[in-house]
Amino acid sequence: MSSDLLLALVAFAFAASITPGPNNLMVMASGANFGLRRTVPHLAGILVGFVVMVVLVGLGLSRVFEAWPAVRQALVAVSALYLAWLAWKIATAAPPAEGEQAGQPITFLQAALFQWVNPKAWMMALTAVTLYAADRSMAAVALVALVFGAVNVPCVSAWAVLGRQARRWLATGARLRLFNRAMAVLLLASLAPAIAGELA
């Protein structure tokens, strides 16, 4: 890969990773509700799950969508339903009582598996492989996966830190409820590009 193409890949990975999406909104909510340390498994699951997705897409999974568009449409439908359920869970999460722990954060495995129903993750993986690993060679696919992994970690972590920083302001139950409802609405809004793409 030429240096110009590598720089373009890094720029694409940064833009795709730092902008709001299901992963970023969920880790921000986790940082606010559980703190940074308890959000680390969630962050690690996103990293591993997405890198594995990029590799599998590069090694041929994308051809399934090309051959059977109905599979992609079914994936979008399942993803939309799952994200709607997650948004409802976030919106209806009750603030913990005094001295009580606020539920459980998403685990490493849950975060890794979530990538497979995350429309933004699919868009990022398919676009990255198509544009930057067009020959689908193992070396090209591995480079795309490594670049995305390296860029994704600080970007997604920044959202968790942002949530953690907001935690003091969210100390009251009313503010935390408002924050969780806002995160739920934004999570639903993040579905719009995927659904619009299917309807286009």
Side-chain angles (χ1 to χ4, degrees), residues 28-93:
M28 184 178 177
S30 182
N33 284 282
F34 306 113
L36 193 55
R37 186 181 60 80
R38 294 182 69 201
T39 303
V40 168
H42 189 163
L43 296 170
I46 291 170
L47 170 66
V48 172
F50 185 69
V51 167
V52 169
M53 174 187 275
V54 170
V55 170
L56 293 180
V57 166
L59 295 180
L61 192 55
S62 61
R63 290 183 174 88
V64 172
F65 298 123
E66 293 165 8
W68 295 291
V71 173
R72 188 187 72 241
Q73 292 166 349
L75 178 66
V76 169
V78 169
S79 300
L81 289 172
Y82 184 67
L83 284 176
W85 178 79
L86 280 176
W88 178 79
K89 292 288 283 181
I90 291 170
T92 58

Side-chain angles (χ1 to χ4, degrees), residues 4-181:
D4 287 348
L5 194 59
L6 182 58
L7 284 173
L9 170 59
V10 170
F12 173 71
F14 177 78
S17 298
I18 198 69
T19 50
N23 281 326
N24 291 340
L25 295 170
M26 288 169 62
V27 297
M28 184 178 177
S30 182
N33 284 282
F34 306 113
L36 193 55
R37 186 181 60 80
R38 294 182 69 201
T39 303
V40 168
H42 189 163
L43 296 170
I46 291 170
L47 170 66
V48 172
F50 185 69
V51 167
V52 169
M53 174 187 275
V54 170
V55 170
L56 293 180
V57 166
L59 295 180
L61 192 55
S62 61
R63 290 183 174 88
V64 172
F65 298 123
E66 293 165 8
W68 295 291
V71 173
R72 188 187 72 241
Q73 292 166 349
L75 178 66
V76 169
V78 169
S79 300
L81 289 172
Y82 184 67
L83 284 176
W85 178 79
L86 280 176
W88 178 79
K89 292 288 283 181
I90 291 170
T92 58
E98 189 68 33
E100 183 184 35
Q101 207 172 43
Q104 292 296 319
I106 289 178
T107 66
F108 170 88
L109 184 58
Q110 288 170 331
L113 292 175
F114 174 71
Q115 304 319 300
W116 296 91
V117 291
N118 179 351
K120 186 180 178 186
W122 278 107
M123 179 278 298
M124 289 165 56
L126 290 165
T127 304
V129 167
T130 302
L131 294 178
Y132 302 103
D135 65 354
R136 309 292 167 93
S137 69
M138 190 61 215
V141 170
L143 181 59
V144 168
L146 287 172
V147 167
F148 255 95
V151 172
N152 192 262
V153 169
C155 290
V156 178
S157 297
W159 283 83
V161 170
L162 184 61
R164 173 64 184 91
Q165 292 304 107
R167 195 173 185 185
R168 188 174 299 125
W169 183 80
L170 299 170
T172 65
R175 288 178 180 171
L176 186 60
R177 271 192 297 270
L178 181 62
F179 173 81
N180 284 340
R181 288 170 185 163

Side-chain angles (χ1 to χ4, degrees), residues 20-22 25 80 83-84 87 119-120 181-196:
L25 295 170
L83 284 176
K120 186 180 178 186
R181 288 170 185 163
M183 289 298 101
V185 169
L186 290 172
L187 187 58
L188 287 174
S190 72
L191 278 171
I195 293 172

